[in-house]
């Protein structure tokens, strides 16, 4: 059974850093394209970043230069390192698997809340 | 620029059918999309992948009441025999090299 479990969220001050984790089971993270998606309170879904199976990474303009996506194959875990956090980064962060290369997101985690506030 | 456009809200009565629309921006009208459902206070759930020819593949456990169709730049999600727990936000999603895009979402109210 495919499962994705996010962790690492919390309350952080503006300018701070946080690392989110997404632990996968039932499949191999490194074999799939993996994404981070966020949802600010009361708002819609916003794509944040993707890492390809070959290791290429891409980011939304809103986080480029501040966030870094990575994975640890030995732990079957996806990460999102978030630096220089802003109030507007406050959101629930979801990890999501792409079903196949350039395909739909077919499995989602339950999300982890990041609150950036002084 | 790749953009997905959805109406902010829709409503239909219990037991009736509703058709939600997602419109692809000019120059991207042949793209496949995915539909996702987000019930209140829950994470998103994948419903289906929908191609430009209307063929679609549903996620595990998605009932037959959910179906998809396409016409030009429009991608549709039809939900029949509406139930109370179909009341949710519905998002379309697509992809190109380096970018993934979501529509703004449609809030479905079941009357």
């Amino acid at each position: 059974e495919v499962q994705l479990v996010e962790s690492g969220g919390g309350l952080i001050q503006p300018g701070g850093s946080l690392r989110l984790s997404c632990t996968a089971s039932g499949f191999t993270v490194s074999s799939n394209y993996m994404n981070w998606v966020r949802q600010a309170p009361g708002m819609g879904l916003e794509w944040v970043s993707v890492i390809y199976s070959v290791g290429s990474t891409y980011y939304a303009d809103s986080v480029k230069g501040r966030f870094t996506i990575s994975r640890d194959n030995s732990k079957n875990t996806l990460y999102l390192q978030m630096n220089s956090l802003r109030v507007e980064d406050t959101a629930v962060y979801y990890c999501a698997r792409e079903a196949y290369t350039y395909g739909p997101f077919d499995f989602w985690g339950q999300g982890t809340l990041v609150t950036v506030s002084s | 620029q790749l953009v997905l456009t959805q109406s902010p809200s829709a409503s239909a009565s219990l037991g009736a059918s509703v058709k939600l629309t997602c419109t692809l921006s000019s120059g991207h009208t042949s793209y496949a999309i995915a539909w996702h459902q987000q019930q209140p206070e829950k994470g998103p759930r994948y419903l289906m992948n929908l191609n430009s020819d209307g063929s679609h593949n549903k996620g595990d456990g998605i009932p037959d009441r959910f179906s998809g169709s396409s016409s030009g730049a429009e991608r549709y999600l039809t939900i029949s025999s509406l139930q109370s727990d179909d009341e949710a936000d519905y998002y379309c999603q697509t992809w190109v090299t380096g970018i993934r895009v979501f529509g703004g979402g449609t809030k479905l109210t079941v009357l």
Side-chain angles (χ1 to χ4, degrees):
Chain A
E1 180 192 6
V2 171
Q3 278 198 315
L4 296 167
V5 179
E6 300 94 337
S7 60
L11 175 63
I12 188 78
Q13 290 190 336
S17 298
L18 209 56
R19 189 179 79 159
L20 305 183
S21 300
C22 170
T23 301
S25 57
F27 75 101
T28 303
V29 163
S30 61
S31 297
N32 285 80
Y33 288 13
M34 296 295 298
N35 292 261
W36 286 99
V37 175
R38 68 184 181 182
Q39 186 171 36
M43 302 297 285
L45 300 174
E46 179 189 15
W47 174 75
V48 172
S49 181
V50 61
I51 183 166
Y52 288 0
S53 51
V54 294
S56 306
T57 58
Y58 297 90
Y59 301 90
D61 287 344
S62 57
V63 306
K64 203 172 293 184
R66 300 187 300 122
F67 290 11
T68 302
I69 190 171
S70 64
R71 65 186 182 222
D72 185 331
N73 296 343
S74 67
K75 295 182 179 179
N76 209 31
T77 298
L78 178 74
Y79 300 103
L80 186 68
Q81 177 67 42
M82 303 186 296
N83 299 331
S84 303
L85 281 161
R86 305 168 181 167
V87 170
E88 55 266 33
D89 295 319
T90 295
V92 175
Y93 285 74
Y94 298 97
C95 62
R97 185 187 85 163
E98 287 191 20
Y100 44 83
T101 302
Y102 296 113
F105 295 177
D106 66 342
F107 283 97
W108 295 76
Q110 86 290 347
T112 187
L113 175 63
V114 173
T115 303
V116 185
S117 174
S118 55
Chain B
Q1 187 181 3
L2 179 54
V3 175
L4 298 174
T5 302
Q6 298 182 252
S7 297
S9 64
S11 62
S13 300
L14 200 65
S17 295
V18 68
K19 190 174 187 178
L20 308 182
T21 304
C22 174
T23 304
L24 286 148
S25 51
S26 176
H28 306 98
T29 58
S30 66
Y31 284 27
I33 69 151
W35 283 104
H36 303 276
Q37 177 195 61
Q38 187 177 32
Q39 294 172 319
E41 306 306 318
K42 290 189 175 180
R45 178 176 72 149
Y46 169 63
L47 294 177
M48 69 180 69
N49 178 58
L50 175 59
N51 296 311
S52 59
D53 63 0
S55 60
H56 54 279
N57 298 292
K58 290 191 281 190
D60 295 343
I62 304 303
D64 291 342
R65 303 187 298 106
F66 291 81
S67 63
S69 58
S70 297
S71 177
E74 314 275 295
R75 305 287 181 267
Y76 305 106
L77 173 68
T78 299
I79 312 171
S80 58
S81 303
L82 274 167
Q83 302 178 357
S84 57
D85 64 358
D86 295 330
E87 187 159 289
D89 294 324
Y90 291 84
Y91 294 92
C92 54
Q93 175 236 331
T94 193
W95 49 90
V96 291
T97 302
I99 300 173
R100 274 78 177 129
V101 177
F102 287 94
T106 297
K107 184 177 185 62
L108 174 64
T109 300
V110 179
L111 303 172

